[in-house]
Amino acid sequence: MDKEWERVIGRLGRWVDFEHSYKTMDQTFMESVWWGFQQLWEKGLVYEGKKVILYCPRCATPLSNFEIAMDNSYTDVAETSTVYKYPVVGEPKTFLLAWSTTPWNKLATPALAVSPTLDYVKVQQDDEFYILAQERLTMLRGDFKIVERYQGRDLEKLQFAPHYDFYEGERSPQDKVGVVIADEFVTGQEGTGIVTLAVYGEDDYRVMKAHDVQLAEHVDDEGNLKAAVKPWAGMNILEANPLINEELKQRGLIYKEEPLTHSVPVCYRCGTRLYHAPLPAWFINIQQIKEQLIDHNEDINWVPEHLKYGRFLYGLENAPDWNISRSRYWGTPMPIWVGKDKSGELARRIVGSMDELKEWAVDPKQVSKLIDLHREFLDEIELWVDDGKTIKGKRIPEVFDCWIESGSMPFASRHYPFENVAEFDSNYPADFISEYIAQTRAWFYTMHVISVGIFGTHAFNNALTTGTILAEDGSKMSKSKKNFPDPLKLIDQYGSDSLRLYLMSSAVMKAENINFNQKEVADIRRKVFVIWWNVVSFYQTFAKQTQPTQPNKPEHILDRWILSRLETLIQQTTDFMDSYDLVRASRTLMEFVSDLSNWYLRLSRERLKAENNQEPSQVLGYVLYTLAQLFAPFAPFFAELIHHNLVDDQTSIHLTDWPSVDQALRDTQLETEMAMVRKVVELGRAARKEHGVRVRQPLTTVTIAVSENQLPRAVERFQTLIGQELNVKKVVWRKVTQDVPLTVLLDVKLTNELKEEGEARELIRAIQNLRREAGLAASDRAKMQLPDWPDRWQAEIETKTRTQLVKGEGPLLLE
Ligand SMILES: [Zn+2]
């Protein structure tokens, strides 16, 4: 696979450093990751908190996401669903109705949650009042009467009396209990639209923490109730469930109970029922550096631009603290050692290098032999966690989230700061980085966080973000489906440069997805490279010089125009490249090829062929070579081919300097005027078509009506050009005062003279076609038998076609 990849990359003309690739599992890389983490720690940006994850009480271990995504991860159980009554403080006989399937959680439910936007009602049944979501009224038994209505967020002003309060003694003054919180995670899909909150739920924990609700954990590591839960201390939570409900029923705090069969997660190792538990986890405090993260986004040039204040900024503004610890075996172990002193106080040491590991090792010999920092070698090493070397500590079992490793790449790949300090300092932040759009929230984000956290600056100056290349039908490209062409075959058929230019000018460079289209690659070959090559061949056939050289300001208006266009092209391409806008750079270059061929060369053929005219050759040679220089980053192979043809095959175009703009050759007004003239020609041709007059039929006059500011400085410079292109005898400019669009009027009245001239032109063309078909050379003389021709034009026809006209049946070409 690696070799195949290398071959494609080589054929594509991409530079990739295959020899010095880094691996995140290298000891040097891991040591730098440790160093970076220690930096963040010392800046106070790391804290230990809790994260709620699925937990197996029998194995005493958390399970990761992929471990509960397996087919033996869920089982159906028959249980009870209960609607509990929570008395509202200050409103006698009034209760909030909350639904739950975990009675054990009711032992420590200090808060209830509602949806902020749902409608809620207070209903009367007999002599009691109940509050619940309006759309859940169907769960009530018997008749009821609505007595009051609320929006969910109105309920936040209520207080309720908790069923139990075992942790009253541990409460700090700011800890809240008995509160109602409105949060979006609550829906009206099931239950009563009111949810009980305990720390054993992911949303629960988040909401409680955000609202300073007391976070009491009443279950131990083995799934048993802790000592504080007096009546049932030590009992397994599932065994306690019916006992708890029985007691609450006696206290009149249960509205109803119903059997419920539902699917619950179980441990794939031992089959034990899992539950969500708050477990120790390590975080980077994003909130503390959020402002700096947003500030340093200002220093980054994003391509496409909308990512800067769009997706990336939004991600920064809404980022939660980053949980960086994982319960896994593989990965870079977190360098945190903890131990307890005699009084049970916790002490910890954060290690930032191999030297520190040696310095604090209880048995330094263990470390001197160490060649790998993975868990299998590291976990058994004990460190002194206090500076007096009295407390032995063990490493915490967690490894880093792998995004810590990829986010540390800029310095860890160079083993900074243990090596390459000067090189790193002079190359940081990186000039540019390129990856696909999903990395905006992942790799680009994690590098930014780590860089701002450690170095106080952004990690890269320019981020070029690409989309995804999909198969032609819009599905994902897949090796097994073989739904995309073999890149090497494609390159053989159309050339690397066609493929490169196709991709670089496409929306994939603007972070949008494209459906790969082989026909468009073929089009680029035809419309850019074949046409360009034809211009080169013409130049080589007729050029009056051997090497391209820079001309002085030429005489002819077309020469002046193409040189000015070229200088403008240099300016635009340079500007677009400087801002990493490869799409506009490549599209601008492609348009120029068409202008060069369809306008400049088409109108300049005769001048270029003329024996005694050196100037147009010099102009065309200079334009062709400079164009190749500008194309070199996009089409490196074709650019080099041009160099070999126009200069020599011993040197390379890639070692020449990037072209600079010669302002003396620029005449932007001429460019504007020529664009207008081309428009005139286009409109004039359309008018011919409309009146059914062929291009070869000469006409007397064209009248061009333009507003004052559109009128060329010197109209006489364009008379011949327009006259030839539209095949008219006279070009008249009419200035109009109002600002009206350009209008082109053709006088299509035909005199006999004009008709005869038109016939003569058609005849010349027809004879030339017949001569070509008969295989005659330009110098061969011939005879043409025809019934008739315009007499006045006989001499011209005979000269132009080198064919003598004779009367008779025809047309018949006689050699
Ligand atoms: Zn288990």
Side-chain angles (χ1 to χ4, degrees):
M1 176 59 206
D2 270 357
K3 284 289 151 205
E4 190 187 330
W5 163 245
E6 276 191 46
R7 225 154 64 87
V8 175
I9 290 294
R11 288 288 312 269
L12 272 172
R14 258 185 82 178
W15 286 356
V16 173
D17 186 354
F18 289 105
E19 273 172 49
H20 302 95
S21 60
Y22 63 88
K23 291 191 179 69
T24 57
M25 56 188 280
D26 292 342
Q27 192 191 320
T28 54
F29 196 101
M30 292 165 84
E31 188 180 20
S32 291
V33 170
W34 279 9
W35 171 84
F37 175 71
Q38 191 187 48
Q39 293 290 306
L40 294 170
W41 173 270
E42 284 170 2
K43 288 176 203 287
L45 295 176
V46 177
Y47 69 90
E48 188 182 12
K50 291 274 170 82
K51 184 170 168 63
V52 176
I53 18 189
L54 277 173
Y55 180 81
C56 173
R58 189 180 165 280
C59 302
T61 179
L63 279 84
S64 53
N65 284 335
F66 65 87
E67 288 174 314
I68 49 163
M70 293 180 285
D71 49 7
N72 54 349
S73 305
Y74 285 86
T75 189
D76 282 348
V77 292
E79 294 191 305
T80 307
S81 84
T82 314
V83 176
Y84 295 96
K85 292 158 66 177
Y86 285 91
V88 176
V89 174
E91 296 189 34
K93 291 189 177 295
T94 305
F95 303 90
L96 291 147
L97 293 186
W99 177 84
S100 170
T101 58
T102 50
W104 60 273
N105 249 337
K106 303 301 121 347
L107 297 172
T109 291
L112 298 172
V114 295
S115 155
T117 49
L118 275 186
D119 292 324
Y120 288 82
V121 289
K122 185 197 276 182
V123 299
Q124 185 176 8
Q125 273 191 324
D126 301 326
D127 62 341
E128 288 193 340
F129 298 92
Y130 305 119
I131 296 171
L132 72 163
Q134 184 177 346
E135 60 193 81
R136 303 306 302 169
L137 281 170
T138 47
M139 54 75 54
L140 290 175
R141 291 174 310 197
D143 295 339
F144 59 85
K145 191 172 88 191
I146 296 177
V147 294
E148 204 172 342
R149 293 172 186 278
Y150 322 82
Q151 255 227 316
R153 61 171 63 88
D154 300 336
L155 298 175
E156 282 195 315
K157 58 178 184 278
L158 300 182
Q159 274 275 328
F160 71 90
H163 292 170
Y164 302 97
D165 197 1
F166 297 115
Y167 289 89
E168 193 180 358
E170 293 181 14
R171 199 137 65 224
S172 65
Q174 65 268 24
D175 283 346
K176 292 182 194 151
V177 163
V179 290
V180 180
I181 300 167
D183 190 274
E184 300 287 351
F185 91 91
V186 182
T187 69
Q189 305 291 305
E190 56 181 4
T192 60
I194 301 178
V195 178
T196 63
L197 297 183
V199 297
Y200 300 91
E202 213 177 334
D203 284 316
D204 304 38
Y205 195 91
R206 172 181 61 77
V207 172
M208 290 166 77
K209 198 163 184 300
H211 288 84
D212 294 325
V213 175
Q214 184 181 15
L215 301 169
E217 293 174 30
H218 64 294
V219 179
D220 69 14
D221 291 351
E222 286 160 3
N224 298 325
L225 294 166
K226 285 187 182 169
V229 189
K230 298 250 161 52
W232 304 291
M235 188 176 278
N236 178 275
I237 52 174
L238 297 179
E239 288 168 23
N241 275 344
L243 307 179
I244 296 163
N245 266 12
E246 192 50 46
E247 204 222 40
L248 289 173
K249 204 184 291 171
Q250 279 171 20
R251 286 166 59 192
L253 295 173
I254 287 183
Y255 179 82
K256 71 170 180 181
E257 279 183 288
E258 273 171 357
L260 171 81
T261 299
H262 64 154
S263 171
V264 298
V266 293
C267 178
Y268 75 97
R269 298 186 198 95
C270 69
T272 303
R273 171 103 170 253
L274 304 175
Y275 59 90
H276 282 93
L279 294 170
W282 295 79
F283 293 85
I284 292 182
N285 191 336
I286 300 293
Q287 314 319 314
Q288 199 177 318
I289 52 169
K290 193 162 270 185
E291 235 171 85
Q292 289 145 269
L293 292 173
I294 292 169
D295 283 351
H296 285 290
N297 182 33
E298 293 297 327
D299 304 331
I300 303 171
N301 171 42
W302 285 93
V303 180
E305 208 182 339
H306 64 77
L307 292 176
K308 182 171 186 151
Y309 299 117
R311 192 186 284 225
F312 194 69
L313 178 64
Y314 184 83
L316 294 178
E317 285 172 343
N318 294 285
D321 286 351
W322 178 7
N323 172 215
I324 54 168
S325 54
R326 293 290 180 274
S327 302
R328 284 204 203 111
Y329 195 77
W330 289 105
T332 302
M334 294 184 74
I336 304 172
W337 272 259
V338 289
K340 279 185 185 157
D341 69 9
K342 287 195 191 82
S343 62
E345 281 292 300
L346 218 56
R348 49 167 86 94
R349 176 170 301 286
I350 313 294
V351 172
S353 68
M354 291 299 291
D355 284 347
E356 285 176 31
L357 191 66
K358 265 176 220 151
E359 184 183 349
W360 299 108
V362 172
D363 176 7
K365 269 186 293 182
Q366 266 183 311
V367 178
S368 58
K369 287 182 296 187
L370 208 60
I371 48 152
D372 191 319
L373 293 181
H374 284 96
R375 282 190 66 176
E376 52 184 318
F377 304 102
L378 207 64
D379 282 359
E380 60 196 40
I381 294 173
E382 285 186 312
L383 296 193
W384 299 111
V385 290
D386 64 327
D387 291 355
K389 297 194 173 183
T390 61
I391 309 167
K392 288 181 187 176
K394 287 187 78 65
R395 200 186 69 78
I396 62 165
E398 284 84 4
V399 300
F400 280 118
D401 173 11
C402 64
W403 289 104
I404 283 282
E405 294 161 355
S406 32
S408 300
M409 179 283 279
F411 58 92
S413 62
R414 292 186 172 95
H415 196 211
Y416 180 90
F418 307 102
E419 287 179 78
N420 305 315
V421 173
E423 187 211 332
F424 177 79
D425 288 346
S426 60
N427 284 296
Y428 199 76
D431 278 340
F432 98 103
I433 186 163
S434 181
E435 249 294 354
Y436 87 123
I437 181 78
Q439 300 291 11
T440 312
R441 292 273 174 81
W443 192 38
F444 293 160
Y445 170 75
T446 57
M447 274 194 291
H448 190 63
V449 166
I450 290 175
S451 182
V452 169
I454 297 176
F455 302 107
T457 185
H458 55 296
F460 40 83
N461 293 322
N462 296 280
L464 212 169
T465 314
T466 59
T468 306
I469 303 170
L470 302 169
E472 197 146 1
D473 62 0
S475 64
K476 242 179 120 175
M477 283 190 174
S478 118
K479 272 208 153 173
S480 61
K481 279 202 267 173
K482 287 202 171 77
N483 57 354
F484 60 93
D486 177 349
L488 290 174
K489 277 192 192 145
L490 206 66
I491 290 170
D492 285 342
Q493 198 171 352
Y494 304 110
S496 290
D497 289 340
S498 300
L499 180 57
R500 288 172 61 105
L501 204 52
Y502 164 68
L503 293 174
M504 278 191 268
S505 62
S506 77
V508 81
M509 300 303 290
K510 295 196 281 185
E512 291 163 31
N513 294 349
I514 58 163
N515 296 355
F516 187 83
N517 188 334
Q518 187 165 335
K519 190 186 157 289
E520 286 176 29
V521 180
D523 282 350
I524 292 222
R525 180 177 183 277
R526 197 165 46 81
K527 289 183 187 162
V528 178
F529 296 109
V530 171
I531 287 179
W532 187 2
W533 186 245
N534 287 342
V535 181
V536 171
S537 303
F538 185 92
Y539 170 78
Q540 289 188 302
T541 313
F542 298 104
K544 314 288 183 302
Q545 60 180 18
T546 49
Q547 293 267 323
T549 52
Q550 179 162 357
N552 294 318
K553 201 160 190 155
E555 277 304 311
H556 197 275
I557 190 145
L558 282 167
D559 292 341
R560 285 187 179 216
W561 170 74
I562 195 70
L563 282 181
S564 181
R565 272 284 280 124
L566 180 75
E567 298 304 323
T568 301
L569 181 72
I570 298 172
Q571 184 74 62
Q572 288 174 334
T573 311
T574 308
D575 289 347
F576 290 144
M577 300 273 281
D578 282 348
S579 58
Y580 289 78
D581 189 344
L582 303 188
V583 176
R584 284 209 279 174
S586 53
R587 288 183 185 174
T588 308
L589 286 166
M590 281 151 59
E591 277 164 30
F592 186 88
V593 173
S594 153
D595 279 3
L596 176 65
S597 165
N598 296 336
W599 193 252
Y600 177 79
L601 182 65
R602 193 169 58 76
L603 300 181
S604 307
R605 279 176 196 277
E606 298 311 317
R607 291 193 303 119
L608 282 155
K609 283 181 187 170
E611 292 297 333
N612 52 0
N613 200 349
Q614 160 83 28
E615 204 165 74
S617 286
Q618 195 189 5
V619 169
L620 182 55
Y622 175 67
V623 170
L624 280 172
Y625 190 71
T626 310
L627 182 62
Q629 286 179 308
L630 295 174
F631 255 106
F634 297 90
F637 301 102
F638 199 82
E640 190 75 327
L641 179 71
I642 303 265
H643 180 88
H644 287 179
N645 274 270
L646 301 190
V647 182
D648 65 46
D649 55 8
Q650 303 301 305
T651 57
S652 170
I653 196 166
H654 301 294
L655 297 176
T656 63
D657 286 339
W658 183 252
S660 56
V661 182
D662 183 349
Q663 294 295 352
L665 294 176
R666 265 185 107 178
D667 183 346
T668 47
Q669 192 172 348
L670 173 60
E671 290 183 51
T672 314
E673 289 172 4
M674 190 66 90
M676 198 265 290
V677 166
R678 294 180 72 176
K679 186 78 189 161
V680 166
V681 170
E682 190 187 308
L683 291 170
R685 294 223 170 113
R688 272 181 178 273
K689 210 170 197 176
E690 202 180 306
H691 292 100
V693 186
R694 277 177 298 194
V695 183
R696 265 180 297 282
Q697 172 61 58
L699 295 172
T700 38
T701 317
V702 63
T703 309
I704 305 158
V706 285
S707 58
E708 174 95 53
N709 57 357
Q710 276 188 305
L711 192 71
R713 286 163 297 183
V715 291
E716 62 280 1
R717 297 200 290 181
F718 299 103
Q719 301 302 77
T720 320
L721 205 157
I722 296 172
Q724 279 172 2
E725 281 292 282
L726 289 180
N727 197 9
V728 292
K729 308 282 181 201
K730 217 165 100 194
V731 179
V732 178
W733 295 84
R734 211 174 69 208
K735 221 183 340 177
V736 289
T737 40
Q738 319 95 304
D739 212 12
V740 289
L742 177 70
T743 324
V744 176
L745 285 168
L746 267 185
D747 181 358
V748 291
K749 274 199 306 288
L750 290 181
T751 59
N752 278 340
E753 273 180 26
L754 285 174
K755 267 190 208 154
E756 283 186 358
E757 188 179 347
E759 276 166 39
R761 300 261 169 258
E762 292 292 343
L763 207 48
I764 291 171
R765 186 179 148 80
I767 296 169
Q768 274 163 344
N769 280 348
L770 287 170
R771 286 179 58 109
R772 207 171 302 128
E773 278 163 28
L776 294 182
S779 57
D780 291 341
R781 299 214 160 258
K783 272 185 192 167
M784 180 84 185
Q785 186 175 295
L786 278 173
D788 200 14
W789 58 84
D791 288 341
R792 292 193 308 129
W793 291 92
Q794 179 168 350
E796 171 145 1
I797 297 169
E798 291 187 328
T799 322
K800 280 232 162 111
T801 59
R802 295 184 150 249
T803 304
Q804 191 192 341
L805 301 180
V806 293
K807 295 259 175 184
E809 302 261 309
L812 189 62
L813 188 70
L814 313 163
E815 278 159 68

